[in-house]
């Protein structure tokens, strides 16, 4: 009897360890290492919480099992083992390709048959093991110990291989894009540009027709109805907007980001003319080369604001991959949400582009002025999926509104109040203000970002300009708005009759391809937003990196 009890306890312990290890050690560490380039935090930032949860769950399972006897304990062990097997196989072998976790909605209706099969799998494995445990106690205990030990060994070996073959990088740098003087304008003059992420050019006429009140604060603006972007997603769209340097898919993303900010003529000219430059975005799209040029890009150690919350968010990320299909709609995860837990050991904190945080800070701090001229760029989440803001600015939860409705909310409760505060401070009239985006909607193929422009001293209802303008004209436009020389026309100087060649590079995903992006398909954007393929494909990949 004593020997039988010992074998039962060993079986319970091995199965409890296998489930806890799979859920809280193997899954988060493996997922971190496979997606390390997308993370801003270090592996060591999640390991302590992972180990604590592993020990706690294992102890809880063992404790619960000790309260049971005989058949009940065997069934309990069978369920634990069954869940471990399902968890491991789901996360590593039987998931369909749901696409990139970039905020886009998953088309769940495409997976109806898979949902049925996957659900039956999650029911059948624990149930089958439970029947086995009841009918054949001794063979079950032997098989359970062997399976649990095998799962532990396989996962330990896999983790060791991943950790030994992939460099563990320090992702937390010694510089940040800070929130320093986020709402401080210049007393002399201001140029303010809102980059409203994923705000498509087609949203403006829809809003004018459906909800013109959302645009009520936009006095003196011109809508450029045939404006074209350069890229289909933020990873390249924002750096190009800020630097006007093309990414040709022949270098790593890290090398491009570092190179494109070197000696940007716009910032050299603005700095030389005494403008206080501040660029508010994420470190992902910025380079430390801008320290000393952009006043809010500072030397400071990036730290974690809350380790428990960061690990909880990591487990959401893990959960989408490892959970059964039926639970995945509740676990859809946008990787940008990790940014909520950035912090700094310096005087200022990292800037985060979340719509609600931006609005909360604007309402709490309000705009103020300081001597001089301010050139400010705000990158905000804007119209980006997963949409969670309604037309009145209320947080209705992810996927419960549309991108156009969210755009209305952003204009009504973020951009509009900002402009009204500018008017109250007496700095609106002589300010240059741009509302644009890094790209248009990205879930329906090539698209174009919005462009709304108010030059200094412009007034009146929103006008329309149908010139063939593009983001490649942006820096010349900004220079001229700031009273500086440019070697190209501003968008408001273009003739509506002029036909121009506008280049656009499309890619549906930012999944890395040997350090580069996937193949980039080149288009020319003809008049009327017609995207014409040129046949040029920038393949990318390790073999195409130019040393």
């Amino acid at each position: 009897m004593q020997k039988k009890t010992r074998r039962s306890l060993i079986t319970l312990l091995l199965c409890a360890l296998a489930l806890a290890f799979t859920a809280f050690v193997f899954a988060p560490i493996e997922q971190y290492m496979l997606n390390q380039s997308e993370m801003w935090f270090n592996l060591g930032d999640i390991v302590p919480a992972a180990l604590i949860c592993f020990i706690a769950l294992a102890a809880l399972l063992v404790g619960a099992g000790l309260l049971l006897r005989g058949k009940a304990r065997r069934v309990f062990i069978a369920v634990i083992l069954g869940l471990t097997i399902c968890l491991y196989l789901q996360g590593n072998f039987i998931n369909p390709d749901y696409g990139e976790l970039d905020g886009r909605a998953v088309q769940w209706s495409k997976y109806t048959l898979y949902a049925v099969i996957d659900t039956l799998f999650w029911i059948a494995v624990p149930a089958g093991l439970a029947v086995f445990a009841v009918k054949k106690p001794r063979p079950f205990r032997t098989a359970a110990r062997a399976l649990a030990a095998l799962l532990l060994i396989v996962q330990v070996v896999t983790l060791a291989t991943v950790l030994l073959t992939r460099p563990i990088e320090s992702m937390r740098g010694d510089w940040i894009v800070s929130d320093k003087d986020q709402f401080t304008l210049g007393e002399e003059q201001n140029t303010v540009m809102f980059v409203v992420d994923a705000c498509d050019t087609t949203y403006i006429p829809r809003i004018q027709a459906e909800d013109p009140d959302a645009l009520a604060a936009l006095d003196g603006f011109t809508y450029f109805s045939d404006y074209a972007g350069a890229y289909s997603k933020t990873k390249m769209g924002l750096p190009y907007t800020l630097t006007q340097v093309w990414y040709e898919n022949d270098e790593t993303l890290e090398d491009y980001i570092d190179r494109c900010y070197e000696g940007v003529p716009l910032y050299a000219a603005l700095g030389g003319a005494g403008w206080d430059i501040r660029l508010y975005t994420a470190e992902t799209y910025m380079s430390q080369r801008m320290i000393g040029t952009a006043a809010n890009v500072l030397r400071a150690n990036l730290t974690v604001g809350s380790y428990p919350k960061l690990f909880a968010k990591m487990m959401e990320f893990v959960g989408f991959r490892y959970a059964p299909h039926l639970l995945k709609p509740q676990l859809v995860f946008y990787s940008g949400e990790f940014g909520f837990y950035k912090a700094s050991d310096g005087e200022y904190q990292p800037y985060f582009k979340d719509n609600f945080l931006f609005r909360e800070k604007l309402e709490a701090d309000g705009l103020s002025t300081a001597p001089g001229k301010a050139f400010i760029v705000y990158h905000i989440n804007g119209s980006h999926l997963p949409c969670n803001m309604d037309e009145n600015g209320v947080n209705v939860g992810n996927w419960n509104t549309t991108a156009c409705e969210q755009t209305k909310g952003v204009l009504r409760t973020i951009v509009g109040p900002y402009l009204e505060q500018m008017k109250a401070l007496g700095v609106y009239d002589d300010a240059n203000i741009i509302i644009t985006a890094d790209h248009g909607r990205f879930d329906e193929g090539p698209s174009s970002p919005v462009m709304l422009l108010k030059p200094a001293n412009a007034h009146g209802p929103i006008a329309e300009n149908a010139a063939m303008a593009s983001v490649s004209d942006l820096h010349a436009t900004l220079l001229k708005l700031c009273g500086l020389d440019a070697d190209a026309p501003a968008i408001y100087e273009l003739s509506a009759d002029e036909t121009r060649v506008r280049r656009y590079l499309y890619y549906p995903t930012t999944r890395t391809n040997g350090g580069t992006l996937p193949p980039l398909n080149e288009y020319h954007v003809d008049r009327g937003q017609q995207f014409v393929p040129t046949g040029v494909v920038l393949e990318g990949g390790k073999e195409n990196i130019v040393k």
Side-chain angles (χ1 to χ4, degrees):
M1 180 65 70
Q2 189 176 7
K3 188 175 180 181
K4 180 179 176 182
T5 301
R6 186 169 63 250
R7 285 198 298 265
S8 176
L9 291 177
I10 292 173
T11 306
L12 173 62
L13 179 62
L14 281 172
C15 290
L17 288 173
L19 179 56
F21 188 85
T22 303
F24 287 117
V25 178
F26 178 78
I29 293 178
E30 183 211 31
Q31 285 303 292
Y32 177 91
M33 292 303 298
L34 294 178
N35 297 278
Q36 186 175 208
S37 63
E38 302 297 320
M39 305 298 186
W40 63 263
F41 52 93
N42 295 334
L43 177 61
D45 295 329
I46 63 169
V47 167
L51 294 177
I52 290 170
C53 290
F54 160 63
I55 294 169
L57 179 59
L60 180 65
L61 292 172
V62 170
L66 290 175
L67 297 176
L68 303 172
R69 293 288 184 272
K71 185 186 298 185
R73 180 184 289 176
R74 294 198 303 275
V75 170
F76 180 70
I77 292 172
V79 171
I80 293 174
L81 180 60
L83 290 177
T84 306
I85 293 170
C86 290
L87 201 64
Y88 179 74
L89 294 178
Q90 183 79 51
N92 293 277
F93 299 106
I94 62 175
N95 273 323
D97 185 1
Y98 295 105
E100 189 177 3
L101 296 181
D102 57 4
R104 282 181 283 189
V106 176
Q107 301 300 312
W108 299 110
S109 60
K110 293 168 50 179
Y111 303 100
T112 303
L113 178 60
Y114 173 79
V116 173
I117 296 171
D118 188 65
T119 302
L120 291 175
F121 166 73
W122 277 81
I123 294 172
V125 173
L129 287 171
V131 172
F132 182 29
V134 171
K135 299 288 188 182
K136 302 287 185 179
R138 182 175 293 181
F140 167 75
R141 283 195 294 268
T142 301
R145 287 194 297 272
L147 279 173
L150 179 63
L151 283 168
L152 282 168
I153 291 168
V154 167
Q155 292 180 90
V156 168
V157 171
T158 302
L159 274 189
T161 303
V162 170
L163 293 172
L164 289 172
T165 57
R166 293 173 180 260
I168 302 175
E169 300 177 14
S170 177
M171 306 306 294
R172 289 202 269 122
D174 61 355
W175 65 279
I176 63 169
V177 178
S178 77
D179 60 0
K180 178 184 178 184
D181 297 331
Q182 183 175 334
F183 296 120
T184 302
L185 299 171
E187 293 176 353
E188 185 178 339
Q189 193 177 2
N190 294 282
T191 296
V192 177
M193 182 165 75
F194 281 93
V195 180
V196 181
D197 207 313
C199 186
D200 196 86
T201 188
T202 61
Y203 296 161
I204 299 305
R206 284 181 58 185
I207 294 171
Q208 286 177 314
E210 298 171 3
D211 191 3
D213 182 62
L215 301 165
L218 274 64
D219 174 35
F221 279 81
T222 296
Y223 165 56
F224 288 81
S225 57
D226 201 7
Y227 187 75
Y231 291 91
S232 54
K233 301 194 75 174
T234 304
K235 184 161 283 189
M236 293 297 109
L238 188 68
Y240 184 81
T241 298
L242 296 178
T243 68
Q244 306 276 259
V245 176
W246 286 97
Y247 176 71
E248 304 287 351
N249 224 13
D250 58 359
E251 60 188 319
T252 66
L253 303 177
E254 292 78 9
D255 287 347
Y256 166 72
I257 294 293
D258 186 57
R259 176 179 64 86
C260 71
Y261 282 95
E262 183 175 9
V264 179
L266 170 65
Y267 306 126
L270 289 172
W275 287 80
D276 176 25
I277 302 167
R278 281 172 272 137
L279 309 174
Y280 298 98
T281 183
E283 288 81 9
T284 305
Y285 315 115
M286 182 55 60
S287 168
Q288 60 181 313
R289 288 182 182 274
M290 293 300 288
I291 294 173
T293 298
N296 67 308
V297 181
L298 305 171
R299 285 285 175 204
N301 290 316
L302 192 61
T303 62
V304 177
S306 171
Y307 288 97
K309 290 180 179 179
L310 177 66
F311 183 70
K313 188 60 65 175
M314 185 68 194
M315 290 310 297
E316 284 185 37
F317 180 45
V318 168
F320 183 79
R321 184 174 180 86
Y322 279 79
H325 179 84
L326 281 184
L327 296 182
K328 292 188 192 293
Q330 285 72 51
L331 295 168
V332 174
F333 180 81
Y334 170 42
S335 56
E337 293 177 7
F338 283 123
F340 279 109
Y341 309 110
K342 286 183 178 180
S344 161
D345 63 358
E347 179 181 359
Y348 302 101
Q349 293 304 305
Y351 173 79
F352 187 50
K353 64 187 182 70
D354 179 72
N355 289 335
F356 298 103
L357 289 181
F358 188 97
R359 185 177 69 192
E360 180 181 320
K361 187 173 175 63
L362 175 63
E363 291 172 349
D365 297 351
L367 298 183
S368 61
T369 59
K373 300 180 290 186
F375 178 90
I376 305 172
V377 176
Y378 297 113
H379 177 208
I380 60 175
N381 204 54
S383 312
H384 200 288
L385 304 174
C387 296
N388 53 17
M389 177 184 283
D390 72 8
E391 70 277 12
N392 295 311
V394 176
N395 189 340
V396 293
N398 290 350
W399 314 112
N400 292 319
T401 184
T402 67
C404 191
E405 294 302 297
Q406 179 159 294
T407 304
K408 295 174 185 177
V410 168
L411 291 169
R412 177 177 279 113
T413 68
I414 297 176
V415 176
Y418 186 102
L419 301 182
E420 293 298 345
Q421 287 195 36
M422 290 184 74
K423 294 171 187 176
L425 288 171
V427 296
Y428 183 86
D429 288 352
D430 62 358
N432 307 299
I433 305 170
I434 289 176
I435 302 169
T436 187
D438 48 345
H439 59 84
R441 68 191 189 282
F442 57 78
D443 54 345
E444 300 174 28
S447 60
S448 292
V450 71
M451 171 52 74
L452 290 156
L453 167 65
K454 184 201 86 73
N457 301 311
H459 292 283
I462 296 175
E464 181 179 352
N465 185 322
M468 293 180 68
S470 83
V471 65
S472 297
D473 307 312
L474 179 59
H475 282 206
T477 301
L478 289 167
L479 285 167
K480 291 190 174 183
L481 287 172
C482 293
L484 302 171
D485 294 330
D487 57 6
I491 59 174
Y492 50 81
E493 296 173 334
L494 298 172
S495 168
D497 299 325
E498 180 183 356
T499 299
R500 309 174 76 220
V501 175
R502 299 179 293 180
R503 187 190 192 204
Y504 178 87
L505 295 175
Y506 177 77
Y507 55 107
T509 174
T510 56
R511 288 175 174 169
T512 55
N513 175 27
T516 71
L517 286 176
L520 304 181
N521 294 280
E522 184 183 68
Y523 291 79
H524 285 164
V525 188
D526 284 356
R527 189 179 298 279
Q529 297 292 299
Q530 298 299 308
F531 290 82
V532 181
T534 67
V536 173
V537 179
L538 306 177
E539 292 291 347
K542 287 182 180 179
E543 64 276 13
N544 291 307
I545 293 177
V546 177
K547 301 297 183 181

